[in-house]
């Protein structure tokens, strides 16, 4: 079968079986083309909660599928490839953070969306990369324990000097591969290009950026900008997507090594098998965990 044949079969099956397909924007173009919704992780889960489809396939990583299940407990949620995890989400567990909370009892625990559902149960509020600054600025408590990404936390802390941030040593190993030396080499090759980076990058990388924002934010900035050249400091699939959506502009990866193997674990055949009912992994959460994890997501929505 050709790629087009597989895509056509997926489209036929998802209509026949009442399936909604979600694809994170780090997925390959052939998967994005068959998805009903594409974008960042939390936005995908919100979109899934608003559709009538009984079954949802998440083409992403495990914590994203868990978030989808938290918001849509009545739906069957399938993770397209069971080995697609997230190293950052798995760096810290519930027991560790419970111990840290005992050391800092007067701190509000802010959890990045890139955390497990179990870890969210002991956190006060959840944030996304695009909402983190706004949410943290609205917290009444000036003492904030931000987990798990110390790079995102550092970026927020520098913009909110009135707040007292406590950061733990965690983050995205994919974005951590990019260094200040990487930036210097890329700028030397493309001196006229704007540098757009994700706040999961190291502080010394972020310091050189012309724009810092979520994956969707980076794409929106590049598409709307009048500039013609951009260095992209996030997962390299975004370079491909921008090259396709903005053919009159040039996009360069900040590092050829900024590739997330977990996102790349999902193939078009995986999606096909999920639609056939013979692939993927159904995500199930016990109700106590789901409700407690949802509380910190609800707080995020409450704060805007």
């Amino acid at each position: 079968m050709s790629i087009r044949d597989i895509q056509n079969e997926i489209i036929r099956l998802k209509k026949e079986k009442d399936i909604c397909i979600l694809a994170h924007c780090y997925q390959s173009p052939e998967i994005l083309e068959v998805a009903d919704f594409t974008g960042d992780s939390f936005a995908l889960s919100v979109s899934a909660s608003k559709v009538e489809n009984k079954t949802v396939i998440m083409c992403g990583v495990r914590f994203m599928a868990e978030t989808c299940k938290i918001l849509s407990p009545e739906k069957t949620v399938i993770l397209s490839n069971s080995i697609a995890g997230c190293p950052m989400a798995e760096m810290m567990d519930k027991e560790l953070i419970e111990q840290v909370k005992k050391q800092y009892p007067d701190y509000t625990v802010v959890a990045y969306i890139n955390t497990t559902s179990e870890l969210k149960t002991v956190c006060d509020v959840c944030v996304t990369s695009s909402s983190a600054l706004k949410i943290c600025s609205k917290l009444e408590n000036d003492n904030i324990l931000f987990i798990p990404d110390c790079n995102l936390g550092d970026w927020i802390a520098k913009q909110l000097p009135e707040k007292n941030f406590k950061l733990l040593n965690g983050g995205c190993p994919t974005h951590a591969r990019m260094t200040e030396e990487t930036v210097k080499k890329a700028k030397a090759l493309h001196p006229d290009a704007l540098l757009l980076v994700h706040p999961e990058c190291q502080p010394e990388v972020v310091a050189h950026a012309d724009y810092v924002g979520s994956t969707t934010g980076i794409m929106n900035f590049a598409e709307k900008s009048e500039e013609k050249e951009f260095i992209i400091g996030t997962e390299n699939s975004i370079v491909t997507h921008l090259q396709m959506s903005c053919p009159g502009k040039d996009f360069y990866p900040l590092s050829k090594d900024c590739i997330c193997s977990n996102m790349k674990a999902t193939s078009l055949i995986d999606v096909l098998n999920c639609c056939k009912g013979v692939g993927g992994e159904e995500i199930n959460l016990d109700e106590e965990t789901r409700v407690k994890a949802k509380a910190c997501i609800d707080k995020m929505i409450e704060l805007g």
Side-chain angles (χ1 to χ4, degrees), residues 66 69-71 73 117-118 120-124 285-299:
E66 289 185 352
K69 187 66 176 180
I70 290 169
L71 297 186
S117 54
E118 184 179 53
K120 288 182 176 72
T121 64
V122 294
C123 299
D124 298 304
L285 301 174
D286 66 83
E287 187 62 5
E288 181 180 3
T289 297
R290 190 194 71 81
V291 171
K292 287 184 177 180
K294 187 173 183 293
C296 75
I297 293 176
D298 289 342
K299 186 65 176 178

Side-chain angles (χ1 to χ4, degrees), residues 41 61-68 70 86-94 97 109-123 125-128 146-149 200 285 293 296-297:
S41 62
V61 296
R62 184 171 297 274
F63 83 82
M64 298 176 186
E66 289 185 352
T67 304
C68 191
I70 290 169
C86 173
M88 173 162 55
E90 297 160 6
M91 281 180 178
M92 300 174 189
D93 58 23
K94 177 180 176 182
I97 298 307
V109 182
V110 177
Y112 191 18
I113 193 74
N114 299 37
T115 44
T116 65
S117 54
E118 184 179 53
L119 182 51
K120 288 182 176 72
T121 64
V122 294
C123 299
V125 62
C126 198
V127 297
T128 65
F146 191 96
I147 61 169
D149 189 353
E200 290 177 16
L285 301 174
C296 75
I297 293 176

Side-chain angles (χ1 to χ4, degrees), residues 51-66:
V51 299
E52 295 182 357
N53 305 81
K54 300 287 193 300
T55 300
V56 175
I57 297 173
M58 172 60 79
C59 302
V61 296
R62 184 171 297 274
F63 83 82
M64 298 176 186
E66 289 185 352

Side-chain angles (χ1 to χ4, degrees), residues 263-281:
M263 282 292 185
K264 295 297 182 285
T266 297
S267 69
L268 192 64
I269 291 295
D270 289 332
V271 183
L272 176 61
N273 288 337
C274 288
C275 290
K276 289 180 176 179
V278 297
E281 177 186 344

Side-chain angles (χ1 to χ4, degrees), residues 26 151 172-183 195-198 200-206 231-236 253-259:
Y26 290 170
N151 291 330
C172 172
T174 299
H175 285 89
R177 294 189 190 116
M178 295 178 284
T179 65
E180 187 172 28
E181 186 61 27
T182 310
V183 174
L195 175 62
L196 317 181
V197 308
H198 197 285
E200 290 177 16
C201 290
Q202 298 182 54
E204 54 268 32
V205 172
V206 172
I231 299 168
I232 305 300
T234 189
E235 217 278 342
N236 284 347
L254 177 54
S255 169
K256 63 181 176 61
D257 298 319
C258 192
I259 299 172

Side-chain angles (χ1 to χ4, degrees), residues 36-183:
D36 297 285
F37 298 98
T38 65
D40 287 333
S41 62
F42 184 66
L44 291 175
S45 298
V46 172
S47 295
S49 70
K50 296 178 179 179
V51 299
E52 295 182 357
N53 305 81
K54 300 287 193 300
T55 300
V56 175
I57 297 173
M58 172 60 79
C59 302
V61 296
R62 184 171 297 274
F63 83 82
M64 298 176 186
E66 289 185 352
T67 304
C68 191
K69 187 66 176 180
I70 290 169
L71 297 186
S72 302
E74 77 287 358
K75 299 181 188 293
T76 298
V77 177
I78 307 294
L79 176 61
S80 55
N81 188 310
S82 62
I83 68 170
C86 173
M88 173 162 55
E90 297 160 6
M91 281 180 178
M92 300 174 189
D93 58 23
K94 177 180 176 182
E95 290 72 25
L96 171 64
I97 298 307
E98 284 179 328
Q99 291 302 313
V100 176
K101 286 174 67 175
K102 291 178 182 178
Q103 298 176 31
Y104 303 99
D106 57 339
Y107 278 65
T108 295
V109 182
V110 177
Y112 191 18
I113 193 74
N114 299 37
T115 44
T116 65
S117 54
E118 184 179 53
L119 182 51
K120 288 182 176 72
T121 64
V122 294
C123 299
D124 298 304
V125 62
C126 198
V127 297
T128 65
S129 53
S130 59
S131 71
L133 179 61
K134 181 178 182 180
I135 300 301
C136 288
S137 69
K138 285 189 172 184
L139 293 175
E140 293 183 5
N141 189 0
D142 287 340
N143 294 326
I144 296 172
L145 173 63
F146 191 96
I147 61 169
D149 189 353
C150 61
N151 291 330
L152 175 58
D154 177 81
W155 179 66
I156 298 166
K158 286 174 178 174
Q159 297 176 80
L160 297 174
E162 70 277 13
K163 300 281 188 178
N164 180 29
F165 279 79
K166 181 67 64 175
L167 308 176
L168 301 184
N169 188 23
C172 172
T174 299
H175 285 89
R177 294 189 190 116
M178 295 178 284
T179 65
E180 187 172 28
E181 186 61 27
T182 310
V183 174

